[in-house]
Amino acid sequence: MAEATPCVRCGARLENPQRCRACGTFQPPDPRRDHFATLALPRAYAVDAALLERRVVDFGRDLHPDRSGGEAAARTRAVLAAAQVNEAYAILRDDYRRGEYLLSLEGGRSAADDKSVPDGFLERMLDERMELEEALSGAPADVERVRAKFDAQLAAVGADVASRFAGLATAADRERALAGLRAALNVMAYYRGLVRDLREAVREKE
């Protein structure tokens, strides 16, 4: 769990890092607070989805402008704090965006700077694109077959990304581990796009 800090006014332990539940004081903005800290979650790829949802609901209630009092400055602070919670939630609830964000925090390269994939994967991409086109021109059963295949591939690469992040802290060669994560996330982005393209093509045919 993310380490709790004391309220700047009353010293109570902060459950919500942006507003004290004991005295209602909004805490000063902290540029070092990342999305994980914003939602009081540990900085890790593995996220408890149910806890994430509870954090958003509870913190959103704490930060609602109608509960900030009558002062304009307090309402503005509440709006900005709630926006930070919503932004953190949008990123952390999505496996790929969470991975990209965590990789950047760990010092890895962005997808724009490094488009590498594992050896031999480019040929596989061409084969799967061809398989997708053939399925779309075939029977509904063909579409379902490739849909199941690509969903399984996406799940597998998601598990690979999770495993790589879990082992990053103890990696003997950190730079190599970061490079491996970058390539794995690129593969995840490819399969997400492939599944999205399949769904859109099916909708257009309906």
Side-chain angles (χ1 to χ4, degrees):
M1 189 63 60
E3 182 179 352
T5 56
C7 171
V8 296
R9 181 179 181 184
C10 72
R13 176 182 177 275
L14 291 174
E15 297 178 68
N16 180 340
Q18 298 198 79
R19 190 179 191 186
C20 178
R21 289 178 178 170
C23 69
T25 299
F26 283 97
Q27 305 302 296
D30 185 352
R32 299 169 300 175
R33 185 186 299 131
D34 60 38
H35 291 327
F36 294 96
T38 293
L39 293 175
L41 295 171
R43 184 189 286 187
Y45 183 76
V47 168
D48 183 329
L51 178 59
L52 176 61
E53 296 291 336
R54 289 199 302 273
R55 286 281 193 270
V56 172
V57 172
D58 291 346
F59 289 7
R61 187 182 300 114
D62 293 340
L63 302 171
H64 196 285
D66 290 346
R67 302 185 65 181
S68 63
E71 295 183 3
R75 291 183 66 86
T76 298
R77 180 72 185 92
V79 169
L80 293 175
Q84 291 178 334
V85 167
N86 291 335
E87 180 183 5
Y89 174 66
I91 289 176
L92 299 188
R93 71 191 294 262
D94 183 284
D95 291 347
Y96 175 72
R97 295 182 70 187
R98 184 172 69 254
E100 286 287 336
Y101 181 69
L102 183 55
L103 183 62
S104 71
L105 293 179
E106 296 290 353
R109 301 181 69 186
S110 70
D113 293 333
D114 186 346
K115 302 182 184 303
S116 62
V117 292
D119 291 342
F121 191 74
L122 292 176
E123 292 80 2
R124 182 174 177 178
M125 290 169 63
L126 294 174
D127 291 341
E128 289 176 336
R129 280 289 173 183
M130 184 176 298
E131 185 178 7
L132 172 60
E133 294 301 324
E134 291 176 351
L136 290 172
S137 62
D142 297 323
V143 174
E144 289 305 314
R145 174 180 54 79
V146 296
R147 187 204 302 270
K149 175 182 176 179
F150 296 154
D151 282 342
Q153 296 282 21
L154 183 56
V157 72
D160 179 48
V161 167
S163 176
R164 289 176 182 273
F165 270 119
L168 183 60
T170 57
D173 187 337
R174 180 176 174 81
E175 290 304 313
R176 183 175 181 179
L178 289 173
L181 269 165
R182 175 68 272 155
L185 283 167
N186 288 342
V187 172
M188 178 184 279
Y190 162 74
Y191 278 112
R192 281 167 61 101
L194 200 62
V195 170
R196 181 191 62 242
D197 291 348
L198 173 60
R199 290 173 179 165
E200 291 177 354
V202 170
R203 280 198 298 267
E204 290 175 0
K205 292 179 65 175
E206 292 176 347

